[in-house]
Amino acid sequence: MGASMTAWATRLASAELAAVLPRRWAHTRGVASRAVALEGVLRGRSDLLVAAATLHDVGYAPRLAVTGFHPLDGARFLRDEHHADERLTRLVANHSFALLEAQERGLGEVLVAEFPLLGDPLLVDALVYCDMTTTPDGHRTTAPARIAEITGRYGPDSVVGRFIQRAAPQILASVGRIEAALAAQPR
């Protein structure tokens, strides 16, 4: 995979997001930057994480929005149009506990059937950490602040608001595990 996968992911995400959704692109760049900083924690899987972080929101691109559920739309785009690595598509499809939102949307069975959760808890947690500690503008934040921002932006009774409140304990646990792994790294 390596640097070529990361460069490909950056070109693809930029082409789909930069011009039409500049704020989403700023968030994406921030999430990818967070992913780069986790190299020591992931031991050989950081390139996959950086690629997933770079592509995690590609499904927001208007031309890709088929179902309106960006993790599924993005993963299908990567699989069907780009024949992307299966681990990458599964990470994109399931980023930040997307299954809980898929269930809210009536797409839970579809997501699980097409893109089962990757059996690499550290990598899954790392992507949650990167996404949930990055603001919409690409800056660092805390997971509680990010959860509050999402709830406030969409409203607590919206599909996204209900999902993020339901996912909050799992998000906080994932972020906590990565923060503990970072703290354990030699300096």
Side-chain angles (χ1 to χ4, degrees):
M1 190 171 299
S4 64
M5 172 65 86
T6 302
W8 168 80
T10 301
R11 284 191 308 274
L12 183 58
S14 176
E16 296 296 336
L17 297 173
V20 294
L21 297 171
R23 191 171 189 216
R24 183 67 54 190
W25 178 234
H27 168 72
T28 295
R29 288 191 334 262
V31 173
S33 176
R34 301 284 293 186
V36 169
L38 295 180
E39 183 175 358
V41 172
L42 291 175
R43 297 180 282 284
R45 299 184 312 268
S46 63
D47 292 330
L48 178 57
L49 175 64
V50 174
T54 303
L55 291 164
H56 81 285
D57 278 352
V58 73
Y60 276 116
R63 77 174 198 89
L64 306 180
V66 175
T67 69
F69 180 49
H70 78 277
L72 182 59
D73 291 338
R76 284 177 171 170
F77 164 71
L78 294 171
R79 178 193 65 199
D80 299 344
E81 289 190 34
H82 293 279
H83 311 288
D85 181 288
E86 180 187 0
R87 297 169 303 157
L88 176 63
T89 61
R90 289 167 66 184
L91 282 167
V92 168
N94 288 286
H95 75 272
S96 300
F97 300 100
L99 178 57
L100 297 177
E101 185 176 345
Q103 291 167 343
E104 289 280 337
R105 295 174 178 274
L107 293 169
E109 290 180 15
V110 172
L111 186 67
V112 169
E114 288 187 45
F115 303 101
L117 184 63
L118 192 66
D120 188 337
L122 183 63
L123 197 53
V124 171
D125 281 350
L127 186 54
V128 171
Y129 168 84
C130 295
D131 188 21
M132 290 296 146
T133 60
T134 305
T135 69
D137 296 312
H139 303 291
R140 290 180 181 215
T141 191
T142 65
R146 178 83 163 115
I147 292 165
E149 180 276 319
I150 292 168
T151 303
R153 182 166 23 122
Y154 289 94
D157 296 324
S158 69
V159 169
V160 175
R162 288 190 310 271
F163 144 70
I164 202 70
Q165 292 171 81
R166 216 173 120 205
Q170 293 169 315
I171 290 168
L172 295 173
S174 285
V175 169
R177 287 188 291 269
I178 295 302
E179 287 173 342
L182 284 167
Q185 291 293 300
R187 297 197 184 252

